[in-house]
Amino acid sequence: MANITISHILVSLKTRNFRLYFTGMCVSLVGTWMQQIAMSWLVYELTGSVLLLATITFVAQIPILIATPFMSVFVDRFNRHKILLFTQSLSALQALLLAWLTLSGLVEVWHLIVLSLFIGLINALDNPTRQAFYPSLVPKENLSNAIALNSAVINGSRLFGPAIGGVLIGLVGEGLCFLLNGISYLGVIIALLAMQLPAHKTKSEKQHLWYDLREGFHYVSHHIPIRTLLLLMAIISFFGLPLMTFLPAYVKDILNGGSELLGLLLSCIGIGSFSAAIYLASRKSVIGLSKIITSAALILGITLLLLSSIQTPWLAAVVCIPAGYSIIITVASINTLLQTLSDEDKRGRVMGYLAMTFTGIAPVGSMILGFIEKYTELPIIILISGIACMLAGGIFEYYRSRIRQ
C-alpha cells in the first residue's frame, strides 16, 4: 500500500516536461527563499521599521493586484512557454542587480523599493502564466497532482532556503544570498529550453483587450464556486499572509532573536507547508476539498491567536508548523478547484484573479496592518488577524453546501 501511495504522489513526474519543470523549480526556489529572508533582514537592519518592512512587501506585490488582470489576457493569447522564458530571465536580472548593489556597499532603501517594484511587475505576468502552464505539462487526470507537487517543491524549498539564508546572512551578508538566487534561475531557464511541447495554437479571432478583460471579470463574478473561492482567498491573504512580512519584527522585538531564529521559524513554516503539499498530492480526487479548506482556515486562525501571546522561541517554532500547513492547504486546494472548474480558454484570466487575491491582496493587508501597528502592538495585530481567519472559515463553511452543489 505504501508503494502505491508513493507511486501516486509522484505520478506527474512520469511526464518528461513536468519532470524538467519540477527539477528546475527545485533549484530556483531555494534561491528565491534565500533572497526573501535576506531582503527582509536587510530592510529591517537598515531602517528598524515594521512599516518599511510592509512597504517593501507592498511594492513587490501591489503590481500583481493592479496589473495582473491586464497581464492575464496575454496569458490566454500568446505562447505561455515563451512568456515564462522572458519572465524568468528578467527575474534573474533583478536578483543580480540586487547582489551588485549590496556587495558593492551602495545599497540604499530606495534601491530595494525600486527593485521590489520591478520584480512585482514581472510576477504580475509570471504568476498567472505558470499556473495556466500546468495543463500543457501533464495529462488532465494528473493536473491536481501536478499542482500539489508544485506546492511541495515551493514549500519544501522553505525547509532549506531560509535556513541557508539565515546562516549566510550571519557569515557573509545578504549580498551573497542575492547572487546565489540570480544564478539559481538558470535551473528553470534550462529546464524550459529542454522541453518538447506541441505547437502553440493561437486564437483564431482575437478580441479587443478591453473585451477580454470584461469577459474574464464576468466569468469569475457570475460563476458562484469560483467567486466564493476567490473571496475566501482574498480574506486569508489580507489577514493571514502578512504574518510572513512581520516575522522579522516578531523575531527581533518579541522573541529577541537574530537571523538564525528567523530562518528557523521560516523553515518550520516550510515543514508544515511541505507536509500539506504531500498530503494533497496523495489525494486521488478533488471531492472533499471544500471541507478541507474550511478546516485549514480555522487552523490558521487558531495558530495566529497562539502566536500573538507566545514569547518563547521554541514554542513559536512549534506553532509555525501548523501555520504553514494551513496556509498551503488553503491556497493549493483553492488553486486545484479553480483549475478544475475553469474553461481552458479562460484559465489564464482565472489564474490572474487567483494571483490577485493570493499575492496582490497580501501587500494591502501588510500596509494597513503595518500602519495600525504604529498605534498599537504587533501581538494585537496578529490577534486580530487570527480572529478574522477563523471568521472567514466559519462563513465559508456556512455557504459550503451551496458551493458543493
Side-chain angles (χ1 to χ4, degrees):
M1 182 64 69
N3 290 334
I4 294 175
T5 302
I6 292 173
S7 175
H8 179 73
I9 290 173
L10 302 178
V11 67
S12 294
L13 292 177
K14 295 179 181 179
T15 306
R16 179 180 181 273
N17 285 336
F18 183 77
R19 190 164 60 246
L20 284 168
Y21 181 81
F22 183 88
T23 304
M25 293 299 287
C26 284
V27 175
S28 177
L29 285 168
V30 171
T32 299
W33 283 110
M34 288 172 55
Q35 174 160 313
Q36 181 168 317
I37 184 176
M39 175 73 86
S40 297
W41 196 255
L42 180 59
V43 170
Y44 204 66
E45 281 286 300
L46 289 174
T47 67
S49 170
V50 173
L51 182 58
L52 275 172
L53 268 179
T55 300
I56 290 292
T57 302
F58 181 83
V59 298
Q61 296 178 354
I62 197 60
I64 298 173
L65 180 63
I66 298 173
T68 295
F70 301 93
M71 298 293 192
S72 61
V73 171
F74 296 108
V75 177
D76 284 333
R77 288 187 175 203
F78 299 110
N79 189 313
R80 294 165 184 170
H81 179 250
K82 292 181 179 179
I83 293 174
L84 284 176
L85 282 170
F86 175 70
T87 56
Q88 294 298 302
S89 299
L90 287 181
S91 297
L93 176 62
Q94 186 265 2
L96 293 174
L97 283 172
L98 196 53
W100 174 71
L101 286 169
T102 306
L103 291 172
S104 64
L106 300 174
V107 68
E108 298 179 17
V109 174
W110 74 267
H111 293 140
L112 302 180
I113 293 174
V114 170
L115 287 172
S116 294
L117 179 62
F118 179 57
I119 197 68
L121 291 170
I122 296 169
N123 287 334
L125 178 60
D126 183 76
N127 285 355
T129 307
R130 279 189 288 111
Q131 298 297 334
F133 190 52
Y134 295 138
S136 63
L137 296 178
V138 294
K140 185 176 180 180
E141 62 270 18
N142 294 337
L143 180 58
S144 62
N145 178 264
I147 294 169
L149 282 181
N150 185 66
S151 295
V153 68
I154 289 173
N155 298 290
S157 63
R158 288 185 179 181
L159 299 174
F160 308 105
I164 295 171
V167 172
L168 286 178
I169 290 170
L171 291 177
V172 295
E174 298 86 354
L176 185 60
C177 294
F178 301 143
L179 177 61
L180 291 175
N181 181 45
I183 296 171
S184 74
Y185 279 103
L186 285 174
V188 70
I189 291 172
I190 292 171
L192 288 167
L193 290 172
M195 288 180 183
Q196 298 174 355
L197 295 166
H200 173 68
K201 296 180 181 179
T202 58
K203 294 176 69 173
S204 57
E205 182 181 353
K206 292 184 179 179
Q207 304 288 346
H208 191 273
L209 175 65
W210 184 247
Y211 176 87
D212 282 352
L213 283 171
R214 283 190 303 164
E215 182 185 50
F217 178 76
H218 184 271
Y219 182 70
V220 300
S221 61
H222 286 75
H223 195 301
I224 294 175
I226 289 178
R227 183 182 66 199
T228 306
L229 289 166
L230 288 173
L231 286 173
L232 176 64
M233 189 71 261
I235 295 171
I236 295 297
S237 296
F238 188 96
F239 290 101
L241 297 187
L243 170 67
M244 305 296 293
T245 301
F246 300 140
L247 210 54
Y250 180 78
V251 167
K252 197 164 189 177
D253 298 340
I254 296 177
L255 300 181
N256 298 314
S259 62
E260 293 83 0
L261 180 57
L262 176 60
L264 173 63
L265 293 192
L266 287 171
S267 293
C268 287
I269 290 174
I271 291 172
S273 301
F274 184 74
S275 302
I278 293 299
Y279 165 69
L280 290 174
S282 68
R283 289 177 52 85
K284 297 182 179 181
S285 170
V286 298
I287 296 173
L289 273 184
S290 60
K291 187 174 183 179
I292 290 173
I293 290 171
T294 297
S295 301
L298 294 174
I299 292 171
L300 177 58
I302 293 170
T303 56
L304 289 172
L305 291 179
L306 292 173
L307 286 173
S308 69
S309 61
I310 290 175
Q311 297 183 358
T312 307
W314 71 265
L315 191 55
V318 171
V319 174
C320 279
I321 295 175
Y325 178 89
S326 57
I327 289 173
I328 296 309
I329 284 286
T330 305
V331 173
S333 297
I334 290 176
N335 188 345
T336 299
L337 288 178
L338 289 175
Q339 292 270 19
T340 304
L341 293 165
S342 301
D343 296 335
E344 171 58 30
D345 64 332
K346 299 178 183 67
R347 180 173 282 117
R349 281 165 284 179
V350 174
M351 292 300 102
Y353 280 102
L354 174 63
M356 286 174 61
T357 54
F358 174 45
T359 311
I361 293 294
V364 178
S366 295
M367 285 296 293
I368 293 175
L369 295 175
F371 180 77
I372 296 173
E373 190 272 342
K374 293 181 67 176
Y375 302 97
T376 178
E377 297 178 348
L378 186 56
I380 300 298
I381 298 301
I382 298 174
L383 176 67
I384 293 170
S385 299
I387 294 171
C389 290
M390 291 186 68
L391 287 174
I395 294 170
F396 183 80
E397 175 62 21
Y398 178 78
Y399 288 103
R400 190 170 61 85
S401 60
R402 299 183 189 180
I403 298 167
R404 189 171 64 248
Q405 292 172 4

